[in-house]
Amino acid sequence: MLLESRIALVTGGAQGIGAEIAQGLAAEGARVIVTDINDNAGTQVSRGDRIDYRHMDVSNPDEVARTVDEVVQNYGKIDILVNNAGVTSDKLLLRMTKEDWDRVLAVNVTGTFLVTKAVVRSMIKQRYGKIINIASVVGLTGNAGQANYAASKAGIIGFTKSCAKELGGRNITVNAIAPGFIETSMTKDIPEEAKQNFLKSIPLGRVGQPKDVADLVLFLSSDRSSYITGQTICVGGGMVM
């Protein structure tokens, strides 16, 4: 198994892409701790001795510090961090409130910062770590009606590069994944006409699945990616090149 004896922390892992990532890591031997604020879904993703669930709001510094400390105490280390937790609040700029802006930035960017800072202390001590941040293609291209979300994902990409430069000397790799149109609960309410327009911009001509993202997370979490850091890899069927 690629991840035998590794300890992984996956934020926002109760459903969708996060749950698929957790299951993929566990299938390759990792012990996975999933965090989320959706306790109902979180308890369902838990699987015996492979996947554990913890309630954690990534935008709450106290919850983050307490949860990460507990995980390190219980398991001795954290080898892999997947910053997947994210929210949207889509509106055109002139209709977007400060609350819409603040919430998306607080979870998507500040949450990534808080969890990474808390986890990386353990990684530095052991001189080993794999950090994978889930961004989005809209962080590269922008998107009408998603100024807050696009700004947050662009922020994650910049954060990824900075961390990669700071932590490379400690044998910690930091990479970002930018999913395109992935079929999840977050995209299920998009009108059919809009979906068809999306498909026209995807050379592979199909919507992506959570497993498409999870498979790349698995590779970046393994030692097969040991010479890759500071990169943003799109998983979008060619939507962005």
Side-chain angles (χ1 to χ4, degrees):
M1 290 188 176
L2 287 175
L3 305 177
E4 191 68 47
S5 80
R6 298 299 188 194
I7 305 297
L9 178 66
V10 180
T11 70
Q15 56 192 336
I17 292 174
E20 191 73 36
I21 289 170
Q23 290 161 13
L25 297 178
E28 284 294 334
R31 182 70 179 266
V32 184
I33 296 86
V34 163
T35 72
D36 210 296
I37 58 172
N38 185 339
D39 293 335
N40 288 334
T43 53
Q44 292 175 21
V45 80
S46 182
R47 290 189 179 180
D49 64 347
R50 279 298 179 196
I51 304 177
D52 293 334
Y53 173 73
R54 299 285 190 280
H55 178 97
M56 184 177 79
D57 178 353
V58 297
S59 67
N60 184 317
D62 293 333
E63 280 193 26
V64 169
R66 184 171 60 250
T67 304
V68 171
D69 285 348
E70 179 189 326
V71 170
V72 173
Q73 268 193 341
N74 288 348
Y75 301 98
K77 59 177 182 171
I78 297 175
D79 301 298
I80 300 160
L81 168 62
V82 184
N83 283 306
N84 171 73
V87 296
T88 60
S89 184
D90 297 349
K91 290 178 185 173
L92 293 173
L93 178 62
L94 292 178
R95 295 177 182 173
M96 188 174 290
T97 66
K98 186 173 183 298
E99 288 72 24
D100 294 324
W101 176 271
D102 287 345
R103 177 59 179 159
V104 171
L105 272 290
V107 173
N108 297 6
V109 181
T110 304
T112 298
F113 158 72
L114 290 172
V115 179
T116 302
K117 184 178 179 181
V119 168
V120 84
R121 298 180 191 280
S122 170
M123 292 181 172
I124 287 173
K125 287 179 182 177
Q126 66 189 26
R127 298 189 67 85
Y128 180 89
K130 300 283 189 176
I131 300 173
I132 301 98
N133 299 323
I134 306 301
S136 169
V137 293
V138 303
L140 298 167
T141 65
N143 194 33
Q146 289 191 309
N148 50 1
Y149 187 72
S152 74
K153 295 302 185 177
I156 287 173
I157 291 170
F159 178 75
T160 297
K161 294 177 181 181
S162 296
C163 290
K165 290 185 175 183
E166 287 189 26
L167 300 171
R170 300 302 182 100
N171 195 33
I172 300 169
T173 62
V174 190
N175 292 288
I177 296 175
F181 192 176
I182 306 296
E183 192 170 36
T184 66
S185 59
M186 196 178 282
T187 60
K188 70 177 181 180
D189 294 328
I190 296 175
E192 186 59 34
E193 183 179 349
K195 287 182 181 179
Q196 292 306 315
N197 288 333
F198 270 122
L199 286 172
K200 290 176 185 176
S201 67
I202 301 174
L204 289 184
R206 66 175 178 87
V207 174
Q209 299 300 315
K211 190 175 186 301
D212 294 317
V213 179
D215 285 345
L216 180 55
V217 171
L218 176 59
F219 170 69
L220 292 174
S221 298
S222 76
D223 289 336
R224 293 182 179 180
S225 64
S226 61
Y227 201 55
I228 300 173
T229 195
Q231 303 306 303
T232 301
I233 305 172
C234 293
V235 181
M239 177 189 285
V240 175
M241 297 187 183

